[in-house]
Amino acid sequence: MRVLPCAVFLAGVAAESTTSPCGATIYNGSDYGSELCFCQLAENPGCAGLACSCSEGCDVQTPHTDTVTFANFHNATGCSATTALLTIPRNYYSDISDLRDFCPHAWQSMLVELLIDAFITYQTEVAAGPVQQCIHGADFVSTKWLHLHTFCVDGQVDGMPKGWPYAHCETMTEVSEAGMLAAKFSVITEMGSVQV
C-alpha cells in the first residue's frame, strides 16, 4: 500500500516532518543503486535502517520541510560556479508524471516547493543570480525518483537544457516566480501525456 497515515510516515523521518499536500508515500523500489541513495538522502522510511549506499555519504543534503537538496554528481559546464544541485521530495514519486497521477489535486504545490527550495539553496550555497531549473520527462529519467536540476542560467548539465519530452527547463530569477513556473511544468507534462 502506497499511502501511509501521516503519523506512520513521520515516525520514519528524522529531523524533518512532512506537510505535503499529497500525503505520505514510501519508497518500495530497489535496495541498491541511485534510487536507494535518493531514498536515504530524502530520509524516506522505505529505506530506514539500511546502510548508506551513496558514494558521497548520506549526510550531504540541505534539508527542507518536504524536500532535500544536494549537489549533483555531475558539474555544470558553461558556468563560473559549476556546482549543479538536485532537489527531491521526501515522499517517493518516480517522476513528474507519477507525481501528477498520484496527487492530481496538489501536484503543482509540490512543484512550487521543489522550485523554491532549490532556488534558495542555490542562492545561499552556490551563487546568487538566475538559474535554470529542469525536470526530465518520465521516459528519460536516469534515477527513478522525481528530481529537479538547478544550475547556472547559461550552463548545461546531464544533457539539459533540452526540449520536451526529454526535459523541460525554465529560468528562475526570484522566488515569486515559482507558481508561474510550476504551472508551465504542469502544462508541458500534460501535453506530453496526451502525445504518448
Side-chain angles (χ1 to χ4, degrees):
M1 183 169 162
R2 187 163 191 179
V3 177
L4 293 176
C6 191
V8 173
F9 179 86
L10 292 175
V13 176
E16 298 292 328
S17 64
T18 184
T19 56
S20 174
C22 295
T25 58
I26 61 167
Y27 174 72
N28 59 1
S30 175
D31 60 356
Y32 63 90
S34 57
E35 287 84 10
L36 177 60
C37 175
F38 278 30
C39 179
Q40 292 170 324
L41 292 172
E43 299 176 330
N44 186 287
C47 55
L50 297 176
C52 180
S53 68
C54 304
S55 60
E56 304 84 20
C58 288
D59 59 352
V60 296
Q61 71 276 34
T62 300
H64 313 287
T65 302
D66 294 319
T67 72
V68 296
T69 301
F70 51 95
N72 190 338
F73 191 68
H74 302 117
N75 284 332
T77 59
C79 304
S80 57
T82 59
T83 299
L85 300 178
L86 296 173
T87 302
I88 62 174
R90 291 184 181 274
N91 288 326
Y92 175 66
Y93 309 101
S94 61
D95 54 58
I96 193 168
S97 295
D98 188 40
L99 172 63
R100 177 203 59 212
D101 295 345
F102 183 73
C103 186
H105 62 284
W107 71 296
Q108 282 191 34
S109 296
M110 184 75 252
L111 291 175
V112 167
E113 277 192 73
L114 287 165
L115 290 160
I116 290 173
D117 291 347
F119 182 81
I120 290 172
T121 303
Y122 193 91
Q123 303 303 303
T124 59
E125 296 184 16
V126 181
V131 297
Q132 283 282 345
Q133 294 193 297
C134 303
I135 296 178
H136 288 287
D139 294 333
F140 297 93
V141 292
S142 56
T143 299
K144 297 283 185 189
W145 193 294
L146 174 62
H147 53 283
L148 175 73
H149 293 259
T150 304
F151 50 97
C152 75
V153 72
D154 295 320
Q156 296 182 336
V157 69
D158 295 343
M160 295 174 284
K162 189 172 185 175
W164 195 257
Y166 180 79
H168 182 71
C169 299
E170 291 288 341
T171 299
M172 188 168 181
T173 59
E174 57 186 52
V175 169
S176 65
E177 297 170 332
M180 173 194 64
L181 297 179
K184 288 182 176 184
F185 278 105
S186 300
V187 168
I188 292 295
T189 303
E190 290 296 339
M191 288 173 39
S193 67
V194 171
Q195 294 170 355
V196 173

